[in-house]
Amino acid sequence: MTMRWVSMVVSGNKVIVVDAEMVDSGPLVLQADVTWTLQSGDRPAAYNVLRQQCADYLRENKIAKALVNESAASRTAVKVSHFHSAELRGVVQAAAASVCEVKTIAKGTLSRTFGDRKVDEYAKDEEFWDEHFDGGNLRAGSRTAAIMLLAERV
């Protein structure tokens, strides 16, 4: 039985979600590549809406595992936006954990442990994506999330 996993990259007020069938070998089968955006207005209420959206999606699609990007250390002064992203990342992690297994992954770790190139270099390589994903168009902005799925499968 083929399992479905999602990978979520949280940044700012949005969550990039890549959903794929995790086949044993060959290209992953893309099921969805979407972005969830935090509603404007009252942040706690908006977090609740996105929490429910995330949990519902994972439950309805029988997702077995969710991968979520970890916070990255800032080289500059930390701004309020960094804290808002971290809050939203926590909401997504908690929602996912209520439905399935969750693993967090740092982009820096991916660059050191997956393949022989950095994540950003893979993101620009169209042939790489054609070779590793079937079932639809993977948006260029979703490729960091997608590489998390590939790295975790290995």
Side-chain angles (χ1 to χ4, degrees):
M1 181 174 148
T2 303
M3 291 189 295
R4 279 178 64 180
W5 291 3
V6 299
S7 181
M8 297 180 275
V9 172
V10 182
S11 179
N13 287 333
K14 67 181 181 177
V15 182
I16 295 172
V17 182
V18 175
D19 173 352
E21 287 183 20
M22 302 301 289
V23 295
D24 292 331
S25 63
L28 301 184
V29 180
L30 183 66
Q31 296 298 309
D33 176 5
V34 297
T35 299
W36 299 331
T37 303
L38 189 67
Q39 295 178 340
S40 59
D42 184 48
R43 288 189 80 78
Y47 287 153
N48 187 49
V49 169
L50 201 133
R51 177 198 58 81
Q52 192 62 52
Q53 179 181 12
C54 178
D56 288 349
Y57 182 90
L58 299 176
R59 192 175 297 106
E60 291 167 7
N61 291 288
K62 297 177 177 51
I63 302 300
K65 189 172 191 176
L67 309 173
V68 182
N69 69 308
E70 292 181 3
S71 295
S74 177
R75 295 180 191 159
T76 61
V78 177
K79 298 178 179 150
V80 173
S81 62
H82 292 98
F83 292 115
H84 287 167
S85 291
E87 287 173 353
L88 184 55
R89 193 171 291 110
V91 168
V92 167
Q93 289 176 20
S98 73
V99 177
C100 63
E101 177 185 353
V102 176
K103 180 176 181 182
T104 61
I105 300 175
K107 184 177 177 182
T109 300
L110 285 174
S111 286
R112 289 190 306 274
T113 61
F114 180 79
D116 56 358
R117 298 185 277 175
K118 293 185 184 280
V119 171
D120 292 337
E121 293 171 5
Y122 282 110
K124 297 174 187 173
D125 184 348
E126 295 297 329
E127 290 179 21
F128 176 85
W129 297 105
D130 291 342
E131 179 182 330
H132 288 86
F133 276 87
D134 282 339
N137 289 332
L138 184 65
R139 298 175 298 165
S142 301
R143 291 176 177 175
T144 297
I147 211 147
M148 290 167 55
L149 292 168
L150 292 171
E152 187 64 15
R153 178 175 72 165
V154 175

